[in-house]
Amino acid sequence: MQRPLFLTGMMGCGKSTVGRLLAHELGAPFIDLDRRIERIFGVTVEALFARGEDDFRACERGALLGLLDEPAFAAREAVVATGGGVVVDPRNRADMARAGVVVHLDVPVDELARRVEGEGGRPLLDGSTIEVRRRLGELLAARSHAYRAADLTVDGRGTPEQVAGRIRAALRHLSGGESSWSGEDRNIV
C-alpha cells in the first residue's frame, strides 16, 4: 500500500522546494498545505496571520483535515509540504503519522536565517537579520520536541537535489530497500 509523505520543518528548511522536486522524481502529486489554505479560505497566509496566529492555526488544521478526509488519501502516494508550525498541534502530528510518513527537514538556525533573509511573506519573522536569527532560534526551541516526533529526520542542508536524495535513501531504508515508502517500521532517524 502506498502512503503520503509529509515534509515538516522550520520555515526556510526547503519543504516546498524539495517537496516539488521529490514529488516529480517519485511521480507523485505535490501538495503545498499553505497554498491549499489560501485556496480554501480565499486569502493569503499573511492575511490569515494578521487575524491572529490562533485563527491561522485553526484554518491550517481545517485544511489538513480536509486533505486527510479525501477519499483514499492515506492509501496513495503524495508529497505534502506542510507549514512550519503545523506540528505545534499534537492532533496534527498524530493525524499525519496515522496517514503517512512524516519527515523532518533539519537545518541549523544560521542556515535558516540565511535562506529567509530578504524574503517577504514570513508572518512570524520581521526585523533585522539579528532579530530574525533570534526569532528562528526561539521558534525552533519551542517546536523541537514536535519535530523530533517525525518518523524520519533528514539533514536539510545542501542543494534541493541532495536533500531529495537523502529523503529517497531514508525511505528506501525505511521500507526495507523497496522504492516506495510503504514500510511499517518507521522508527529510523
Side-chain angles (χ1 to χ4, degrees), residues 20 28 34 42 67 81 86 90 102-103 114 121 163 168 170 177 179 184:
R20 247 182 235 97
D34 281 348
L67 178 62
V86 73
V102 180
V103 177
R114 187 190 63 73
V163 177
R168 285 192 319 276
S179 61
E184 292 304 314

Side-chain angles (χ1 to χ4, degrees), residues 3-106:
R3 304 181 74 204
L5 178 67
F6 297 92
L7 301 182
T8 67
M10 288 292 294
M11 62 188 88
C13 74
K15 297 177 299 286
S16 295
T17 302
V18 171
R20 247 182 235 97
L21 176 64
L22 185 61
H24 176 75
E25 291 175 351
L26 296 172
F30 173 71
I31 300 160
D32 187 310
L33 193 58
D34 281 348
R35 300 301 73 81
R36 186 177 174 89
I37 291 166
E38 291 175 340
R39 280 193 311 276
I40 291 169
F41 295 97
V43 295
T44 65
V45 167
E46 293 79 19
L48 286 171
F49 256 99
R51 298 178 189 170
E53 187 173 353
D54 289 343
D55 284 349
F56 172 77
R57 296 293 172 209
C59 293
E60 182 177 57
R61 172 101 178 119
L64 178 62
L65 287 176
L67 178 62
L68 297 175
D69 285 344
E70 288 182 6
F73 177 76
R76 66 182 165 107
E77 288 184 340
V79 177
V80 180
T82 67
V86 73
V87 297
V88 170
D89 186 332
R91 299 171 302 170
N92 291 342
R93 292 194 307 271
D95 290 341
M96 290 186 298
R98 265 192 302 277
V101 176
V102 180
V103 177
H104 168 227
L105 299 183
D106 188 29

Side-chain angles (χ1 to χ4, degrees), residues 111-124:
E111 175 69 11
L112 292 170
R114 187 190 63 73
R115 290 181 183 185
V116 301
E117 191 174 19
E119 280 188 7
R122 303 280 184 180
L124 292 176

